[in-house]
Amino acid sequence: MKTNKLFFLFSMLLSMLSTNALAYDFAVKNANGVMIYYNYANNKKEAYVTYNKENRASYSGSVVIPKEVTYEKKKLKVTKIGYKAFYNCDKLTSVTIPNSVIEIGESAFESCESLKSITIPNSVTSIGEEAFEFCYRLKSITIPNSVTSIGKSAFCRCYSLTTVTVPNSVKEISSCTFMECINLTSVTIPNSVKAIWGKTFEECTSLKSITIPNSVTSIQSELLRRCTSLTSVTIPNSVTLIRFCAFIDCTSLTSITIPSSVKEIEFAAFYRCKNLKNVISKIVSPFPIEDDTFSDETYSKAPLYVPKGTVAKYKTTQGWKNFKNIVEEGSITAINDVEADNTLNTANVIYDTNGKRLSATSLDELPSGLYIINGKKVVK
């Protein structure tokens, strides 16, 4: 009898704990009649948006979150979109977040497959990990200058996202933040960003160019892996380290300039970049690199342009010596594949290596790279 009583009490305790763990604190309809679920915060002085545990996909259509909510005759300021608040609400199309909210929690909008638009107010300071992951239809997002923290995989696999501007309030971009955003064509990264962690842009297959700000000191592992449309990338003089597989499988990349600041390049950094036609190294004292840093095809077909007086050093340094054609910077060689042009003998006619005439009339107007001036190759 005593055993049965203990078992009953234990079962009741488990039931109560389970109920508390699964229940939201209260629910109130917004001005449009949409039921929104909340938990208390800050000693019941504030509230944050959560979900109905009995119906995880309870939010649909357009949802307007109020700035404050009244419950039991008490007004509570809404300060956060909580953990998985809108998770897997696949019929949710838009959300209006009030300027009382300072945090978008982890996985807050993850797998909202129909979400097309969202406005993040200037009050928000942090966006949690995986906050918008798998939001397939989200086409654009404006990250306000108030945001200082963007969590890992925050916009990962947002397949419809085309452009992103990172505000100058952000100091670092976490790993996988924009991974597999396959329609992302443009990204603006400010000089405030000191670190861009690994896999941030992996498999952004529509991204054609990117400028890494001169505040960044390392190109992290797999940063631009399989960015198959990437044709140009600017590596600033602040970079000292290029990590493993940073540019692996960037099959459209035709030219790369490695600044003199670089002290280490890890294995496979430029591996399987099969269309690399020119590698320009500004490094005066070459250090050893792994043989698989570049592909055999690059070593055999792409010339390596090096600073004056360093050819001998490169020809005896591990990895670099694999290049079949090491050319001193400033050397000029004839070229036969420039498009015909009757102004070719006019001064300051500049082409890129694909034979496209450029609007610039001076190398001073162009970034480091290989160009064709009056039918001759010139390395800046």
Side-chain angles (χ1 to χ4, degrees), residues 117-258:
S117 66
I118 190 164
T119 300
I120 301 175
N122 285 321
S123 56
V124 172
T125 60
S126 67
I127 299 173
E129 293 185 3
E130 302 167 358
F132 295 93
E133 185 173 15
F134 292 113
C135 289
Y136 298 143
R137 290 177 174 81
L138 190 64
K139 292 186 177 181
S140 63
I141 189 85
T142 299
I143 305 171
N145 281 319
S146 56
V147 172
T148 58
S149 172
I150 301 175
K152 178 182 177 182
S153 302
F155 300 97
C156 179
R157 301 183 181 93
C158 289
Y159 295 151
S160 298
L161 197 63
T162 57
T163 62
V164 169
T165 298
V166 178
N168 55 22
S169 53
V170 172
K171 300 298 185 289
E172 67 176 43
I173 302 175
S174 301
S175 60
C176 307
T177 298
F178 301 103
M179 187 174 77
E180 293 184 40
C181 290
I182 58 175
N183 281 301
L184 185 66
T185 59
S186 173
V187 60
T188 302
I189 306 172
N191 285 327
S192 62
V193 173
K194 301 291 189 283
I196 307 172
W197 295 104
K199 295 177 177 283
T200 295
F201 299 103
E202 181 178 356
E203 292 196 53
C204 289
T205 52
S206 296
L207 189 64
K208 294 183 179 180
S209 66
I210 187 169
T211 299
I212 298 167
N214 57 21
S215 50
V216 171
T217 58
S218 63
I219 309 296
Q220 289 295 314
S221 56
E222 302 174 287
L223 179 69
L224 291 150
R225 181 174 186 167
R226 295 198 192 101
C227 289
T228 52
S229 296
L230 189 70
T231 58
S232 67
V233 60
T234 300
I235 302 175
N237 284 319
S238 56
V239 169
T240 60
L241 169 64
I242 300 175
R243 297 292 311 276
F244 66 89
C245 299
F247 299 93
I248 191 171
D249 291 316
C250 289
T251 52
S252 295
L253 195 62
T254 58
S255 180
I256 190 74
T257 298
I258 303 168

Side-chain angles (χ1 to χ4, degrees), residues 311-329:
V311 171
K313 293 179 184 178
Y314 276 88
K315 284 185 175 181
T316 57
T317 302
Q318 180 185 337
W320 299 108
K321 66 182 182 181
N322 295 337
F323 281 92
K324 302 302 181 186
N325 185 17
I326 302 177
V327 183
E328 189 174 90
E329 187 177 14

Side-chain angles (χ1 to χ4, degrees), residues 18-75:
S18 177
T19 301
N20 288 338
L22 292 175
Y24 50 87
D25 289 332
F26 62 93
V28 178
K29 289 183 179 181
N30 68 4
N32 298 319
V34 176
M35 186 68 76
I36 300 179
Y37 303 89
Y38 299 93
N39 280 331
Y40 286 114
N42 191 17
N43 295 321
K44 294 189 175 183
K45 295 176 184 178
E46 298 172 354
Y48 66 87
V49 179
T50 186
Y51 54 89
N52 178 357
K53 282 81 173 177
E54 296 177 355
N55 180 11
R56 288 303 304 265
S58 58
Y59 298 113
S60 62
S62 297
V63 174
V64 178
I65 301 169
K67 189 173 182 177
E68 61 181 18
V69 59
T70 301
Y71 182 68
E72 293 184 341
K73 298 182 179 180
K74 185 177 181 180
K75 288 186 177 181

